[in-house]
Amino acid sequence: MPLVSMGPLLRRARADGYGVAAYNMIDFNSARAIVNGATDMNAPVIIQVSVKTVKHWGYRHLANWVWMLANDAPVPVALHLDHCTDIDVIKRCIDAGWTSVMFDGSSLPFEENLAKSKAVYALTESAKIGLEAEIGAIGGVEDDKVVNDDAARLADFDECLKFVAEMPNLAAFAPAIGTAHGFYRGEAKIAYDLLERITNAIDIPIALHGGTGLTDDQFHRCIGLGCGKVNISTMHKRLFIEGFTNLKAEKPTLAEPLPFLMAQEEAMKADVRSNIKTFGSAGRAWEVSDVA
Ligand code: 13P
């Protein structure tokens, strides 16, 4: 089916208490693994792309790959731009056919983040696509963005209220709640009380960043408290590399490239299937087929 917009997918997910997997794609094989994994589970899925990856492949080529994969898939697929601080990149993604974007103003003082997020909101509303915006500062490494432990900061509850009041139609809201990008050292300390206060007051679906390394229990609690979007990047990147290198270690003389690509896809797809099961979105494609 044609690419769908993330907002309606996530509103349905939050209302029905499940999470939609949002995977950061790397190349065509990775995007295909995400779509095929979701198809195996009959689940909606979000393909998101980091700015670095968009610039590497080019806006139109990348959008066309995902557009083709979505068109041939029996499940809803959304195309989302992950953490972006550059409004020109956002405009180019809108022009190339992205169905939602994230503006990340979390490194700015609150008022400046709000002002810039609102400017992007005006763009996305007029383009009829979704916007995700962040407040607080999510720790860890994502793309070229490094937020060390000292700089990571939970979202302020009153600022959350003020922020979303100005952008009531956000597709997803990303308050920092203690999760972090990359592999965790020890167990993630999630501020469930803050998440609960936020979701009691705000009905916009929450984006759970830093999905790699969270336990099933943590996923279930966060999704139960209103996280409709669950982001996975680091594990997907690891499987992208290991799918290839493990086969090379096993069969060092293998010279044919396709088995490597297949091994890579299988490794990524198995993870997509397993997370979709954990997030409760298996079998939910039909629920959102009307949003296409
Ligand atoms: P991980 O890299 O920790 O899976 O987080 C992904 C993410 O939140 C992308 O924005």
Side-chain angles (χ1 to χ4, degrees), residues 234-255:
T234 303
M235 181 51 85
H236 190 67
K237 289 184 200 163
R238 172 172 282 191
L239 295 169
F240 177 90
I241 293 168
E242 287 184 355
F244 209 105
T245 55
N246 285 349
L247 183 60
K248 180 71 183 160
E250 202 186 304
K251 298 184 176 169
T253 56
L254 186 62

Side-chain angles (χ1 to χ4, degrees), residues 149 178-180 182-190 210-215 218:
D149 291 352
T179 57
F183 289 107
Y184 290 95
R185 295 186 302 274
E187 193 164 309
K189 291 188 185 55
I190 301 177
T212 297
L214 296 182
T215 64
Q218 289 173 320

Side-chain angles (χ1 to χ4, degrees), residues 17-58:
Y18 62 90
V20 178
Y23 270 86
N24 287 61
M25 67 168 277
I26 301 147
D27 69 349
F28 182 78
N29 207 31
S30 139
R32 204 170 83 139
I34 299 164
V35 173
N36 287 346
T39 299
D40 289 348
M41 301 305 280
N42 197 21
V45 77
I46 297 163
I47 293 192
Q48 53 187 19
V49 201
S50 73
V51 173
K52 215 157 61 175
T53 305
V54 179
K55 288 184 173 167
H56 178 78
W57 293 115

Side-chain angles (χ1 to χ4, degrees), residues 27 30 75 83 103 121 151 163 183 193 227-228 233 240 242 252 289 292:
D27 69 349
S30 139
V75 297
H83 296 275
F103 174 69
Y121 185 67
F163 198 74
F183 289 107
D193 49 344
C227 291
S233 176
F240 177 90
E242 287 184 355
S289 53

